[in-house]
Amino acid sequence: MKMKTDFTKLVPEITRWNNGQGVSISDWIQMMGDYAHAVGYSVVFWPSFIEKDGCVFRADVTNHSQCFKSCNGDRQAIESTVNHIHLCDLHCNDTAGNTPESMQYLASILKEIYTCKLKRDFPHKTFTVEVYDDPSGPILTFFQMEKK
């Protein structure tokens, strides 16, 4: 059973709304969000993938060719390198919201999303989706598992 997320700890601002009575995370999004950001987030939160030379990449990434050379053709290394996302880079200017708790929450959610989306888009392939700890924050990546 999955634990319920306490959004008041992840987004403390929601407790200050409604004369200090707080609002739900959904109400806060409704009041503070905008469609341009929602469209941008869709690329990260429900990514499109492409296949190239036996590799699977996020469609929004374009540096495949450089990695083929630098990784000496190692498909797992190529995919892992090209597909990695530093979560702290999602919002370079939001140092206040970049807490370890919010980064871990996002990493956990993105790992679930990428696992589901890859399985849906490539039902005959097996992927590993991983989150690595880094001093700057979590790094999400994925790569295909070699068939044995």
Side-chain angles (χ1 to χ4, degrees):
M1 185 167 118
K2 193 162 187 168
M3 298 288 294
K4 184 176 179 192
T5 302
D6 183 354
F7 288 104
T8 63
K9 289 188 170 127
L10 297 175
V11 187
E13 179 183 337
I14 66 175
T15 62
R16 296 189 289 271
W17 282 77
N18 197 18
N19 294 320
Q21 295 177 34
V23 295
S24 70
I25 192 72
S26 298
D27 288 343
W28 181 74
I29 290 289
Q30 184 180 13
M31 293 180 278
M32 296 300 295
D34 63 59
Y35 290 103
H37 287 116
V39 169
Y41 289 133
S42 72
V43 173
V44 176
F45 287 97
W46 196 251
S48 295
F49 301 109
I50 61 168
E51 283 188 84
K52 182 174 180 176
D53 298 324
C55 294
V56 175
F57 302 112
R58 294 185 355 249
D60 63 309
V61 178
T62 58
N63 64 343
H64 326 111
S65 300
Q66 298 162 324
C67 283
F68 276 100
K69 292 175 187 164
S70 64
C71 293
N72 297 319
D74 178 341
R75 186 174 71 198
Q76 286 185 351
I78 295 164
E79 289 176 334
S80 182
T81 301
V82 171
N83 291 317
H84 83 279
I85 300 171
H86 291 257
L87 269 62
C88 67
D89 291 344
L90 290 177
H91 297 287
C92 297
N93 297 318
D94 182 14
T95 55
N98 182 354
T99 66
E101 296 82 13
S102 64
M103 292 294 102
Q104 280 308 125
Y105 172 79
L106 283 174
S108 172
I109 293 296
L110 286 170
K111 183 176 180 177
E112 287 185 52
I113 290 169
Y114 278 59
T115 299
C116 291
K117 184 71 160 64
L118 286 161
K119 190 175 287 191
R120 188 200 83 158
D121 288 2
F122 303 97
H124 296 92
K125 294 180 183 273
T126 303
F127 292 89
T128 295
V129 181
E130 294 183 338
V131 174
Y132 296 99
D133 288 325
D134 184 77
S136 67
I139 299 171
L140 174 84
T141 193
F142 69 88
F143 52 88
Q144 290 180 71
M145 297 300 298
E146 296 292 330
K147 292 183 180 181
K148 295 181 179 184

